[in-house]
Amino acid sequence: MIALVDCNNFYASCERVFNPSLDGKPIVVLSNNDGCVIARSQEAKDKGVEMGEVAFQRMDFYAANSIHVFSSNYTLYGDLSRRVMETLASVIPEIEIYSIDEAFLDLTGYAQFNDLATLASTMRERVYQNIGIPVSVGIAPTKALAKIANRLCKKLKRKNGFIILDNQEKIDAALKMVAIGDVWGIGRRYAKLLNGYHVTTAYEFTKLNDDFVKKHLSVVGLRLLHELRGKPCLDMEFSASAKKNICTSRSFGSQTDSYLEIREAVANHAAMCAEKLRRQKSCAAVVSVFIETNRFDTRQVYVGRSKSINLPVASNDTTELTHYALKALDLIYKAGIRYKKAGVIVLDFVPQENVQANLFDVENRERKKQLMQTVDKLNRWAGKGMVKLAVQGTGSFNVKAQNEPKEHRSWQLRRERLSPRYSTCWEELLTVRI
């Protein structure tokens, strides 16, 4: 048996952990630059808030309905996610972290005790006790069926917080309640195709011929078919695989034509890519930079340009990646254009212990490696971004919007409704009066 544990309305629940006065109140969380709604509490859904709606067009509605609006606090969400996963792993060590708020757990060895209900309750209670995040649990013989069980648990608002599909009768009943378009792995295009063949539920999908599914949905769809029939086809992935490319990009808080500000943004993106590379012990052989204007701004023609540079030696050194990223920026930047977004992509990875040397390389790479290790150690100790290159500027990606320093740049995110980083920043720890 496999369990899928999914945090309920995760971003909204994170905002409630340190602010219990929000319990039972409608909450929405906005995307970067406070653009659109990316998360809603159940109370906000009940009031008619739609996923993806443009926030500034609905502010009057939010105020009239006492809806609490927050900017995305990814620092807080990421830290609470880590704590949730560590708590789950303390109950079931065989865990696959699927997303920031979801994890699969392999219950092999636990199902024999025939007390999966107690196990599900234990996971829910421990996560809530340790972190304060409510979760739903779906348990079934395969990953796809565990997804079905978890979805139904939320849809049916089960008070015990879990659903267990441990026999064919329960599985069939669950599959009949789920629309084909809501099945994990069935996108809008496949749902439309299947509806054309009068397949509207997950149960009807399981009755299709294998050859038909393979022909129209490829071998991936065939695996899903077998999973829904109760035959495991998707292996558990207990260790996160290294990424094959890394992209760091953000829309600017406001459009800018300042070369220095765009240069600063690109330098920060390159530094983040380098840090992520070192974290997964990889080096990149190619650095690519892109800049673009606001495609929705009718006052100017859309401009999007990019440039890739091959490094002489694959690297994860911040100084080196930043150097080549800025070199690429100089080749694509044009003055007089108001840009809205910039980003850096690093690709063509090799393990850092297997980097191919260059006969003409004059860099002292061992010394650079030691320098980066020291920088990472200092930033872990003193706080992210405390030690950085001068070209990255003196501002911060993570500064609170309500207390931004004078050196804040227009390229930095607009986050006017940002909650404190309660669990990762000393200056923003929760104050308790007794």
Side-chain angles (χ1 to χ4, degrees):
M1 301 291 277
I2 292 174
L4 175 67
V5 180
D6 187 8
C7 300
N8 299 340
N9 306 310
F10 182 57
Y11 289 176
S13 295
C14 288
E15 298 293 349
R16 286 172 169 157
V17 168
F18 295 96
N19 190 353
S21 65
L22 295 173
D23 287 350
K25 306 289 180 60
I27 297 172
V28 298
V29 179
L30 307 181
S31 63
N32 288 344
N33 290 315
D34 295 344
C36 58
V37 174
I38 60 171
R40 308 160 292 165
S41 67
Q42 186 58 51
E43 295 80 5
K45 296 175 186 177
D46 294 341
K47 287 185 176 292
V49 178
E50 298 292 335
M51 183 69 81
E53 66 182 29
V54 180
F56 79 89
Q57 296 176 344
R58 299 275 278 170
M59 284 302 176
D60 291 341
F61 174 81
Y62 299 154
N65 288 273
S66 301
I67 297 174
H68 299 264
V69 183
F70 292 93
S71 302
S72 298
N73 190 340
Y74 295 121
T75 303
L76 176 65
Y77 307 155
D79 184 60
L80 294 185
S81 171
R82 175 185 61 80
R83 295 171 187 236
V84 168
M85 301 308 168
E86 288 179 351
T87 298
L88 291 173
S90 71
V91 181
I92 305 292
E94 294 78 18
I95 181 172
E96 174 191 336
I97 300 174
Y98 182 67
S99 68
I100 192 171
D101 62 346
E102 291 179 275
F104 288 105
L105 298 102
D106 186 355
L107 305 186
T108 303
Y110 297 89
Q112 62 181 327
F113 298 109
N114 198 29
D115 197 9
L116 294 176
T118 300
L119 187 60
S121 295
T122 299
M123 289 190 286
R124 294 188 70 251
E125 291 166 5
R126 192 170 298 183
V127 169
Y128 194 77
Q129 180 181 28
N130 288 6
I131 300 100
I133 299 289
V135 301
S136 297
V137 181
I139 298 178
T142 69
K143 280 185 171 182
L145 286 174
K147 273 275 194 180
I148 294 285
N150 192 287
R151 182 180 184 84
L152 283 178
C153 182
K154 292 184 175 181
K155 182 179 179 180
L156 301 176
K157 299 180 181 179
R158 294 289 289 267
K159 291 183 178 180
N160 60 10
F162 62 85
I163 283 182
I164 301 171
L165 305 180
D166 54 2
N167 60 53
Q168 194 59 49
E169 183 180 356
K170 292 180 182 178
I171 291 173
D172 289 345
L175 293 174
K176 290 175 181 178
M177 298 176 66
V178 177
I180 188 62
D182 294 332
V183 174
W184 182 42
I186 298 289
R188 186 179 303 173
R189 183 168 65 90
Y190 282 148
K192 184 177 180 180
L193 169 74
L194 292 168
N195 286 337
Y197 288 95
H198 307 291
V199 176
T200 59
T201 67
Y203 178 78
E204 292 170 344
F205 178 67
T206 62
K207 301 305 176 183
L208 290 176
N209 180 274
D210 286 17
D211 294 335
F212 172 89
V213 173
K214 185 176 181 180
K215 177 182 178 182
H216 293 283
L217 280 73
S218 77
V219 69
V220 176
L222 185 61
R223 289 196 197 103
L224 175 61
L225 177 68
H226 289 167
E227 282 263 327
L228 293 177
R229 289 173 177 169
K231 178 183 177 182
C233 294
L234 303 175
D235 295 332
M236 295 286 289
E237 299 176 11
F238 298 120
S239 59
S241 57
K243 295 180 179 179
K244 296 181 179 179
N245 58 68
I246 293 172
C247 174
T248 301
S249 66
R250 284 177 179 169
S251 296
F252 303 152
S254 58
Q255 297 182 77
T256 180
D257 58 0
S258 168
Y259 169 74
L260 292 179
E261 290 192 3
I262 296 173
R263 186 170 184 261
E264 188 175 299
V266 169
N268 276 278
H269 294 327
M272 285 187 179
C273 287
E275 182 184 345
K276 292 177 182 179
L277 281 169
R278 293 194 294 273
R279 203 178 301 151
Q280 72 173 40
K281 296 181 172 27
S282 298
C283 291
V286 178
V287 174
S288 180
V289 174
F290 67 88
I291 52 176
E292 60 182 37
T293 59
N294 187 347
R295 62 180 70 245
F296 302 107
D297 188 349
T298 57
R299 294 171 296 178
Q300 65 177 359
V301 177
Y302 170 75
V303 176
R305 307 190 70 198
S306 64
K307 178 65 179 178
S308 297
I309 294 181
N310 295 318
L311 276 61
V313 177
S315 175
N316 58 18
D317 179 84
T318 297
T319 61
E320 195 165 5
L321 292 179
T322 303
H323 167 75
Y324 285 104
L326 296 179
K327 187 176 180 180
L329 174 65
D330 290 341
L331 296 173
I332 59 177
Y333 172 81
K334 284 189 176 182
I337 298 176
R338 293 174 61 79
Y339 293 98
K340 180 61 176 175
K341 188 176 185 178
V344 176
I345 305 172
V346 290
L347 54 161
D348 285 3
F349 293 175
V350 294
Q352 65 180 12
E353 66 273 11
N354 295 334
V355 173
Q356 177 66 50
N358 187 315
L359 182 63
F360 303 102
D361 184 31
V362 295
E363 298 285 352
N364 186 337
R365 299 202 171 271
E366 184 57 34
R367 186 176 181 182
K368 279 194 166 189
K369 180 180 178 182
Q370 293 175 1
L371 173 62
M372 289 299 104
Q373 289 175 344
T374 301
V375 169
D376 290 340
K377 185 176 181 180
L378 286 170
N379 283 333
R380 285 193 297 269
W381 173 74
K384 186 175 182 179
M386 294 299 292
V387 181
K388 57 186 177 181
L389 303 179
V391 73
Q392 292 178 247
T394 55
S396 168
F397 267 123
N398 295 317
V399 68
K400 282 196 59 161
Q402 298 93 324
N403 190 31
E404 288 178 345
K406 293 180 180 179
E407 62 269 19
H408 178 70
R409 300 290 190 261
S410 62
W411 60 265
Q412 292 178 313
L413 288 176
R414 181 172 65 248
R415 297 188 290 181
E416 298 174 354
R417 300 169 180 271
L418 187 67
S419 56
R421 297 163 290 171
Y422 297 103
S423 60
T424 58
C425 180
W426 286 109
E427 290 76 17
E428 297 173 25
L429 289 177
L430 187 66
T431 301
V432 179
R433 295 182 177 87
I434 301 177

